[in-house]
Amino acid sequence: MARNVRTTHNEQLRDPDIAAEYLNEALRDGDAAVILMALRNLAEAQEDGISGLAKRSSLGRESMYKMLSANGNPKLSSFTQLIHGLGLRLKVESISDQRTVS
């Protein structure tokens, strides 16, 4: 039986290491729309769905859906709660090969 690509994608995004790298790539891109899309994909991939993630994140389900919508703009506090609900944490690193433009 052929596997559904979305099912395979969701299964992979449930792996904490893959989820962390996936979100790190979105953060490296720096585009808010890309970061929001990555968060939405990670949320939808959860076995207990967005409702379960909202509960683990101590956020309301409706707030979670609004935050992850195409027009979402989560507050920093909601963003960090969501990250923790995914079983991840944020880390800040220096930009080591930053070049000056003349």
Side-chain angles (χ1 to χ4, degrees):
M1 176 184 253
R3 288 191 43 102
N4 179 310
V5 172
R6 185 69 175 167
T7 300
T8 302
H9 183 251
N10 286 348
E11 287 174 359
Q12 290 178 346
L13 289 180
R14 287 184 201 122
D15 179 297
D17 293 328
I18 292 173
E21 187 55 35
Y22 183 76
L23 187 54
N24 280 330
E25 282 299 317
L27 290 165
R28 274 190 277 281
D29 180 271
D31 183 336
V34 171
I35 296 166
L36 192 57
M37 181 189 67
L39 286 171
R40 188 169 38 254
N41 288 340
L42 288 169
E44 290 172 350
Q46 300 301 295
E47 282 191 75
D48 54 357
I50 292 177
S51 295
L53 177 58
K55 185 181 261 189
R56 288 193 312 279
S57 302
S58 301
L59 296 166
R61 186 177 58 84
E62 296 81 14
S63 296
M64 179 75 71
Y65 278 104
K66 183 177 177 183
M67 178 173 70
L68 295 174
S69 73
N71 296 322
N73 189 13
K75 295 189 304 184
L76 181 58
S77 60
S78 299
F79 178 75
T80 56
Q81 285 176 264
L82 173 60
I83 297 299
H84 289 141
L86 288 166
L88 304 172
R89 69 173 163 234
L90 293 175
K91 179 180 176 184
V92 176
E93 296 178 339
S94 67
I95 300 172
S96 58
D97 77 312
Q98 185 176 11
R99 293 178 174 82
T100 57
V101 178
S102 311

